[in-house]
Amino acid sequence: MRALAIDFETANEQRSSPCSIGLAWIEDGAVIRVEERLIRPRDMRFSRFNIAVHGIRPEHVEDAAEFPEVMEEFEDDLGDTLVIAHNASFDMSVMRATYALYRMASPDIDYICTLKMAKKVWQELASHRLNEVSRHIDFSFKHHNAAEDAHACGEVALAAARKLNVSTLRDLPIKLDMTMGRLHAGGNSPCSVKQPPKAKKR
C-alpha cells in the first residue's frame, strides 16, 4: 500500500505561485514520513487573503529554493508511486501551471482525489472538507499547513481503505467506481467518479 500524499499552499490567486509543499509517504497501511518544503515563488507576490489562510509571508521564503529545485528532490518519489491529494484538481493545477511557468514538462503521475473519495465513502457528512473528514475519522491536525494537510490526506485515504476493506490504495478507485487521474507532459486527465443515474421523472 505504497503512496504519496501531497498538498500545496500558494502565495496568491495564481496557481503558479506555490510557496509550500507538504508530502506524506504511506507504506504498509501507515503514514511513515512527513516533510514540508517552503518554496520561493518567482514573482514573490503574496496576497493578504492567502497569508491569512496559511500564515506564510515573503520573509519566510526569501532563502527558500524555487519550484524546480524543490521538486527535483522528490522527483523519484513522484514518478514511481500513487499520488493522493484532497481536492486533487487544485494541487495538480498548481503543478501544471508552475512547471509551465518554468518551461518544464510535468512528470507522469497517477493520482486519486480524497475529496471525491470521501463524498462516496462518508455520504452522511454535511461537509467533505479535509478538516471535517479528518474530524470524523478522529485525526487531529493543523489545517492549511502543507505538511499537516498532506498527513491528514493520507490518513483519510487509509481510513477509506479500511472502511471498504481493500488491501491496497490502488484498489480504492475500483471499489468506488472512480477513474484514476493522470498528470503528464501533454496535459491532465482528471480523477473522476461515476455518478449513479438520475431517477427518471414520472
Side-chain angles (χ1 to χ4, degrees), residues 140-175:
S140 299
F141 74 111
K142 182 182 177 183
H143 200 14
H144 296 304
N145 170 276
E148 300 243 345
D149 282 6
H151 190 174
C153 174
E155 295 294 346
V156 167
L158 290 169
R162 289 191 294 269
K163 185 175 175 66
L164 297 176
N165 196 30
V166 299
S167 57
T168 73
L169 295 182
R170 283 189 178 270
D171 289 337
L172 280 170
I174 300 170
K175 194 83 170 181

mmCIF file of all heavy atoms in Angstrom, residues 140-175:
data_model
loop_
_atom_site.group_PDB
_atom_site.id
_atom_site.type_symbol
_atom_site.label_atom_id
_atom_site.label_comp_id
_atom_site.label_asym_id
_atom_site.label_seq_id
_atom_site.Cartn_x
_atom_site.Cartn_y
_atom_site.Cartn_z
ATOM 1 N N SER A 140 -6.451 14.550 14.337
ATOM 2 C CA SER A 140 -6.273 15.984 14.606
ATOM 3 C C SER A 140 -5.052 16.500 13.858
ATOM 4 O O SER A 140 -4.010 15.841 13.821
ATOM 5 C CB SER A 140 -6.098 16.222 16.110
ATOM 6 O OG SER A 140 -7.243 15.792 16.819
ATOM 7 N N PHE A 141 -5.173 17.702 13.287
ATOM 8 C CA PHE A 141 -4.058 18.284 12.552
ATOM 9 C C PHE A 141 -4.251 19.800 12.457
ATOM 10 O O PHE A 141 -5.320 20.325 12.764
ATOM 11 C CB PHE A 141 -3.951 17.665 11.154
ATOM 12 C CG PHE A 141 -5.006 18.118 10.179
ATOM 13 C CD1 PHE A 141 -4.679 18.914 9.094
ATOM 14 C CD2 PHE A 141 -6.348 17.776 10.355
ATOM 15 C CE1 PHE A 141 -5.643 19.339 8.192
ATOM 16 C CE2 PHE A 141 -7.316 18.180 9.460
ATOM 17 C CZ PHE A 141 -6.966 18.974 8.377
ATOM 18 N N LYS A 142 -3.212 20.498 12.016
ATOM 19 C CA LYS A 142 -3.265 21.951 11.822
ATOM 20 C C LYS A 142 -3.603 22.225 10.367
ATOM 21 O O LYS A 142 -2.763 22.057 9.484
ATOM 22 C CB LYS A 142 -1.921 22.578 12.195
ATOM 23 C CG LYS A 142 -1.901 24.104 12.069
ATOM 24 C CD LYS A 142 -0.537 24.658 12.406
ATOM 25 C CE LYS A 142 -0.497 26.181 12.207
ATOM 26 N NZ LYS A 142 0.858 26.722 12.461
ATOM 27 N N HIS A 143 -4.822 22.669 10.127
ATOM 28 C CA HIS A 143 -5.299 22.869 8.759
ATOM 29 C C HIS A 143 -4.535 24.008 8.076
ATOM 30 O O HIS A 143 -4.219 25.020 8.687
ATOM 31 C CB HIS A 143 -6.794 23.190 8.791
ATOM 32 C CG HIS A 143 -7.500 22.953 7.497
ATOM 33 N ND1 HIS A 143 -6.946 22.235 6.445
ATOM 34 C CD2 HIS A 143 -8.727 23.328 7.072
ATOM 35 C CE1 HIS A 143 -7.808 22.181 5.458
ATOM 36 N NE2 HIS A 143 -8.898 22.848 5.796
ATOM 37 N N HIS A 144 -4.255 23.827 6.780
ATOM 38 C CA HIS A 144 -3.561 24.791 5.920
ATOM 39 C C HIS A 144 -2.072 24.915 6.211
ATOM 40 O O HIS A 144 -1.426 25.849 5.765
ATOM 41 C CB HIS A 144 -4.229 26.168 5.954
ATOM 42 C CG HIS A 144 -5.617 26.143 5.391
ATOM 43 N ND1 HIS A 144 -5.894 25.687 4.124
ATOM 44 C CD2 HIS A 144 -6.814 26.488 5.946
ATOM 45 C CE1 HIS A 144 -7.201 25.765 3.918
ATOM 46 N NE2 HIS A 144 -7.784 26.236 4.997
ATOM 47 N N ASN A 145 -1.534 23.947 6.962
ATOM 48 C CA ASN A 145 -0.090 23.728 6.956
ATOM 49 C C ASN A 145 0.131 22.582 5.978
ATOM 50 O O ASN A 145 -0.489 21.518 6.112
ATOM 51 C CB ASN A 145 0.411 23.351 8.349
ATOM 52 C CG ASN A 145 1.853 22.879 8.331
ATOM 53 O OD1 ASN A 145 2.133 21.712 8.060
ATOM 54 N ND2 ASN A 145 2.776 23.779 8.599
ATOM 55 N N ALA A 146 0.958 22.799 4.962
ATOM 56 C CA ALA A 146 1.054 21.832 3.867
ATOM 57 C C ALA A 146 1.423 20.429 4.343
ATOM 58 O O ALA A 146 0.851 19.440 3.864
ATOM 59 C CB ALA A 146 2.062 22.321 2.823
ATOM 60 N N ALA A 147 2.362 20.321 5.263
ATOM 61 C CA ALA A 147 2.775 19.002 5.746
ATOM 62 C C ALA A 147 1.641 18.328 6.508
ATOM 63 O O ALA A 147 1.369 17.132 6.327
ATOM 64 C CB ALA A 147 4.006 19.133 6.631
ATOM 65 N N GLU A 148 0.953 19.096 7.348
ATOM 66 C CA GLU A 148 -0.146 18.538 8.133
ATOM 67 C C GLU A 148 -1.317 18.161 7.232
ATOM 68 O O GLU A 148 -1.981 17.148 7.452
ATOM 69 C CB GLU A 148 -0.564 19.538 9.207
ATOM 70 C CG GLU A 148 0.543 19.887 10.171
ATOM 71 C CD GLU A 148 0.234 19.467 11.590
ATOM 72 O OE1 GLU A 148 -0.926 19.163 11.889
ATOM 73 O OE2 GLU A 148 1.176 19.437 12.401
ATOM 74 N N ASP A 149 -1.589 18.982 6.231
ATOM 75 C CA ASP A 149 -2.665 18.661 5.289
ATOM 76 C C ASP A 149 -2.350 17.386 4.521
ATOM 77 O O ASP A 149 -3.232 16.545 4.288
ATOM 78 C CB ASP A 149 -2.874 19.811 4.302
ATOM 79 C CG ASP A 149 -3.651 20.968 4.914
ATOM 80 O OD1 ASP A 149 -3.940 20.938 6.122
ATOM 81 O OD2 ASP A 149 -3.973 21.919 4.170
ATOM 82 N N ALA A 150 -1.104 17.236 4.099
ATOM 83 C CA ALA A 150 -0.705 16.018 3.387
ATOM 84 C C ALA A 150 -0.861 14.794 4.288
ATOM 85 O O ALA A 150 -1.355 13.745 3.859
ATOM 86 C CB ALA A 150 0.731 16.140 2.891
ATOM 87 N N HIS A 151 -0.455 14.940 5.545
ATOM 88 C CA HIS A 151 -0.590 13.840 6.506
ATOM 89 C C HIS A 151 -2.064 13.474 6.675
ATOM 90 O O HIS A 151 -2.440 12.297 6.624
ATOM 91 C CB HIS A 151 0.019 14.241 7.845
ATOM 92 C CG HIS A 151 0.148 13.112 8.813
ATOM 93 N ND1 HIS A 151 0.784 13.239 10.028
ATOM 94 C CD2 HIS A 151 -0.284 11.823 8.755
ATOM 95 C CE1 HIS A 151 0.741 12.080 10.670
ATOM 96 N NE2 HIS A 151 0.089 11.204 9.921
ATOM 97 N N ALA A 152 -2.919 14.502 6.840
ATOM 98 C CA ALA A 152 -4.353 14.254 7.002
ATOM 99 C C ALA A 152 -4.938 13.577 5.773
ATOM 100 O O ALA A 152 -5.755 12.647 5.883
ATOM 101 C CB ALA A 152 -5.071 15.570 7.277
ATOM 102 N N CYS A 153 -4.523 14.017 4.606
ATOM 103 C CA CYS A 153 -4.981 13.405 3.355
ATOM 104 C C CYS A 153 -4.632 11.922 3.323
ATOM 105 O O CYS A 153 -5.458 11.075 2.954
ATOM 106 C CB CYS A 153 -4.353 14.135 2.172
ATOM 107 S SG CYS A 153 -4.682 13.389 0.567
ATOM 108 N N GLY A 154 -3.420 11.605 3.725
ATOM 109 C CA GLY A 154 -3.008 10.207 3.782
ATOM 110 C C GLY A 154 -3.849 9.396 4.747
ATOM 111 O O GLY A 154 -4.244 8.259 4.454
ATOM 112 N N GLU A 155 -4.155 9.974 5.903
ATOM 113 C CA GLU A 155 -4.968 9.271 6.897
ATOM 114 C C GLU A 155 -6.392 9.055 6.399
ATOM 115 O O GLU A 155 -7.009 8.023 6.675
ATOM 116 C CB GLU A 155 -4.980 10.049 8.219
ATOM 117 C CG GLU A 155 -3.629 10.160 8.913
ATOM 118 C CD GLU A 155 -3.080 8.830 9.410
ATOM 119 O OE1 GLU A 155 -3.844 7.839 9.463
ATOM 120 O OE2 GLU A 155 -1.887 8.774 9.757
ATOM 121 N N VAL A 156 -6.920 10.011 5.647
ATOM 122 C CA VAL A 156 -8.261 9.864 5.074
ATOM 123 C C VAL A 156 -8.282 8.699 4.084
ATOM 124 O O VAL A 156 -9.195 7.864 4.093
ATOM 125 C CB VAL A 156 -8.717 11.165 4.387
ATOM 126 C CG1 VAL A 156 -9.955 10.938 3.513
ATOM 127 C CG2 VAL A 156 -9.003 12.250 5.430
ATOM 128 N N ALA A 157 -7.269 8.629 3.226
ATOM 129 C CA ALA A 157 -7.187 7.528 2.257
ATOM 130 C C ALA A 157 -7.086 6.182 2.963
ATOM 131 O O ALA A 157 -7.743 5.206 2.574
ATOM 132 C CB ALA A 157 -5.995 7.739 1.327
ATOM 133 N N LEU A 158 -6.276 6.119 4.008
ATOM 134 C CA LEU A 158 -6.122 4.867 4.756
ATOM 135 C C LEU A 158 -7.418 4.482 5.461
ATOM 136 O O LEU A 158 -7.794 3.303 5.501
ATOM 137 C CB LEU A 158 -4.986 5.001 5.771
ATOM 138 C CG LEU A 158 -3.578 5.082 5.170
ATOM 139 C CD1 LEU A 158 -2.569 5.479 6.241
ATOM 140 C CD2 LEU A 158 -3.184 3.754 4.536
ATOM 141 N N ALA A 159 -8.122 5.474 6.013
ATOM 142 C CA ALA A 159 -9.403 5.202 6.680
ATOM 143 C C ALA A 159 -10.429 4.680 5.676
ATOM 144 O O ALA A 159 -11.221 3.776 5.975
ATOM 145 C CB ALA A 159 -9.914 6.460 7.375
ATOM 146 N N ALA A 160 -10.421 5.253 4.469
ATOM 147 C CA ALA A 160 -11.331 4.790 3.424
ATOM 148 C C ALA A 160 -11.014 3.349 3.033
ATOM 149 O O ALA A 160 -11.918 2.529 2.840
ATOM 150 C CB ALA A 160 -11.231 5.699 2.198
ATOM 151 N N ALA A 161 -9.722 3.038 2.934
ATOM 152 C CA ALA A 161 -9.319 1.673 2.586
ATOM 153 C C ALA A 161 -9.775 0.682 3.656
ATOM 154 O O ALA A 161 -10.257 -0.417 3.324
ATOM 155 C CB ALA A 161 -7.798 1.616 2.408
ATOM 156 N N ARG A 162 -9.651 1.080 4.915
ATOM 157 C CA ARG A 162 -10.092 0.186 5.990
ATOM 158 C C ARG A 162 -11.610 0.003 5.958
ATOM 159 O O ARG A 162 -12.111 -1.110 6.116
ATOM 160 C CB ARG A 162 -9.656 0.746 7.349
ATOM 161 C CG ARG A 162 -8.152 0.654 7.608
ATOM 162 C CD ARG A 162 -7.813 0.973 9.045
ATOM 163 N NE ARG A 162 -8.101 2.354 9.397
ATOM 164 C CZ ARG A 162 -7.235 3.350 9.289
ATOM 165 N NH1 ARG A 162 -6.008 3.118 8.817
ATOM 166 N NH2 ARG A 162 -7.577 4.579 9.648
ATOM 167 N N LYS A 163 -12.316 1.096 5.754
ATOM 168 C CA LYS A 163 -13.785 1.026 5.739
ATOM 169 C C LYS A 163 -14.294 0.153 4.593
ATOM 170 O O LYS A 163 -15.277 -0.587 4.749
ATOM 171 C CB LYS A 163 -14.366 2.434 5.630
ATOM 172 C CG LYS A 163 -15.888 2.499 5.726
ATOM 173 C CD LYS A 163 -16.387 3.928 5.745
ATOM 174 C CE LYS A 163 -17.903 3.999 5.726
ATOM 175 N NZ LYS A 163 -18.512 3.440 6.952
ATOM 176 N N LEU A 164 -13.616 0.230 3.455
ATOM 177 C CA LEU A 164 -14.041 -0.544 2.286
ATOM 178 C C LEU A 164 -13.386 -1.916 2.211
ATOM 179 O O LEU A 164 -13.634 -2.676 1.282
ATOM 180 C CB LEU A 164 -13.739 0.250 1.014
ATOM 181 C CG LEU A 164 -14.490 1.584 0.869
ATOM 182 C CD1 LEU A 164 -14.015 2.314 -0.380
ATOM 183 C CD2 LEU A 164 -15.996 1.367 0.839
ATOM 184 N N ASN A 165 -12.494 -2.173 3.177
ATOM 185 C CA ASN A 165 -11.824 -3.475 3.268
ATOM 186 C C ASN A 165 -11.034 -3.804 2.002
ATOM 187 O O ASN A 165 -11.138 -4.903 1.443
ATOM 188 C CB ASN A 165 -12.842 -4.586 3.559
ATOM 189 C CG ASN A 165 -12.172 -5.871 4.038
ATOM 190 O OD1 ASN A 165 -11.110 -5.839 4.668
ATOM 191 N ND2 ASN A 165 -12.794 -6.998 3.734
ATOM 192 N N VAL A 166 -10.244 -2.837 1.543
ATOM 193 C CA VAL A 166 -9.360 -3.084 0.401
ATOM 194 C C VAL A 166 -7.917 -3.135 0.905
ATOM 195 O O VAL A 166 -7.551 -2.454 1.859
ATOM 196 C CB VAL A 166 -9.505 -2.007 -0.705
ATOM 197 C CG1 VAL A 166 -10.918 -2.000 -1.254
ATOM 198 C CG2 VAL A 166 -9.126 -0.624 -0.205
ATOM 199 N N SER A 167 -7.115 -3.951 0.258
ATOM 200 C CA SER A 167 -5.759 -4.197 0.747
ATOM 201 C C SER A 167 -4.742 -3.171 0.267
ATOM 202 O O SER A 167 -3.709 -2.973 0.905
ATOM 203 C CB SER A 167 -5.297 -5.600 0.349
ATOM 204 O OG SER A 167 -5.362 -5.747 -1.062
ATOM 205 N N THR A 168 -5.007 -2.514 -0.874
ATOM 206 C CA THR A 168 -4.075 -1.506 -1.373
ATOM 207 C C THR A 168 -4.843 -0.261 -1.783
ATOM 208 O O THR A 168 -6.013 -0.335 -2.192
ATOM 209 C CB THR A 168 -3.268 -2.007 -2.588
ATOM 210 O OG1 THR A 168 -4.114 -2.046 -3.736
ATOM 211 C CG2 THR A 168 -2.663 -3.376 -2.327
ATOM 212 N N LEU A 169 -4.193 0.882 -1.709
ATOM 213 C CA LEU A 169 -4.847 2.131 -2.083
ATOM 214 C C LEU A 169 -5.188 2.161 -3.567
ATOM 215 O O LEU A 169 -6.135 2.839 -3.974
ATOM 216 C CB LEU A 169 -3.960 3.325 -1.711
ATOM 217 C CG LEU A 169 -3.725 3.534 -0.211
ATOM 218 C CD1 LEU A 169 -2.873 4.770 0.025
ATOM 219 C CD2 LEU A 169 -5.036 3.648 0.554
ATOM 220 N N ARG A 170 -4.438 1.443 -4.376
ATOM 221 C CA ARG A 170 -4.755 1.395 -5.814
ATOM 222 C C ARG A 170 -6.057 0.649 -6.091
ATOM 223 O O ARG A 170 -6.609 0.731 -7.185
ATOM 224 C CB ARG A 170 -3.591 0.762 -6.593
ATOM 225 C CG ARG A 170 -2.419 1.703 -6.801
ATOM 226 C CD ARG A 170 -1.391 1.125 -7.748
ATOM 227 N NE ARG A 170 -0.286 2.048 -7.981
ATOM 228 C CZ ARG A 170 -0.261 2.959 -8.952
ATOM 229 N NH1 ARG A 170 -1.291 3.052 -9.776
ATOM 230 N NH2 ARG A 170 0.784 3.753 -9.106
ATOM 231 N N ASP A 171 -6.544 -0.097 -5.101
ATOM 232 C CA ASP A 171 -7.823 -0.780 -5.265
ATOM 233 C C ASP A 171 -9.008 0.145 -4.967
ATOM 234 O O ASP A 171 -10.149 -0.193 -5.305
ATOM 235 C CB ASP A 171 -7.904 -2.007 -4.343
ATOM 236 C CG ASP A 171 -6.988 -3.131 -4.795
ATOM 237 O OD1 ASP A 171 -6.648 -3.167 -5.992
ATOM 238 O OD2 ASP A 171 -6.602 -3.956 -3.950
ATOM 239 N N LEU A 172 -8.760 1.281 -4.322
ATOM 240 C CA LEU A 172 -9.856 2.181 -3.966
ATOM 241 C C LEU A 172 -10.643 2.662 -5.185
ATOM 242 O O LEU A 172 -11.880 2.657 -5.158
ATOM 243 C CB LEU A 172 -9.326 3.376 -3.165
ATOM 244 C CG LEU A 172 -9.073 3.113 -1.682
ATOM 245 C CD1 LEU A 172 -8.318 4.290 -1.067
ATOM 246 C CD2 LEU A 172 -10.387 2.879 -0.936
ATOM 247 N N PRO A 173 -9.972 3.106 -6.264
ATOM 248 C CA PRO A 173 -10.750 3.552 -7.432
ATOM 249 C C PRO A 173 -11.666 2.473 -7.989
ATOM 250 O O PRO A 173 -12.790 2.761 -8.413
ATOM 251 C CB PRO A 173 -9.662 3.941 -8.442
ATOM 252 C CG PRO A 173 -8.475 4.274 -7.623
ATOM 253 C CD PRO A 173 -8.530 3.317 -6.460
ATOM 254 N N ILE A 174 -11.225 1.219 -7.961
ATOM 255 C CA ILE A 174 -12.047 0.119 -8.467
ATOM 256 C C ILE A 174 -13.290 -0.033 -7.597
ATOM 257 O O ILE A 174 -14.419 -0.148 -8.086
ATOM 258 C CB ILE A 174 -11.236 -1.196 -8.493
ATOM 259 C CG1 ILE A 174 -10.018 -1.051 -9.405
ATOM 260 C CG2 ILE A 174 -12.107 -2.365 -8.930
ATOM 261 C CD1 ILE A 174 -9.034 -2.196 -9.308
ATOM 262 N N LYS A 175 -13.075 0.006 -6.288
ATOM 263 C CA LYS A 175 -14.179 -0.168 -5.334
ATOM 264 C C LYS A 175 -15.179 0.977 -5.423
ATOM 265 O O LYS A 175 -16.383 0.779 -5.225
ATOM 266 C CB LYS A 175 -13.597 -0.243 -3.920
ATOM 267 C CG LYS A 175 -14.554 -0.749 -2.867
ATOM 268 C CD LYS A 175 -14.598 -2.258 -2.848
ATOM 269 C CE LYS A 175 -15.375 -2.759 -1.635
ATOM 270 N NZ LYS A 175 -15.412 -4.224 -1.567
#
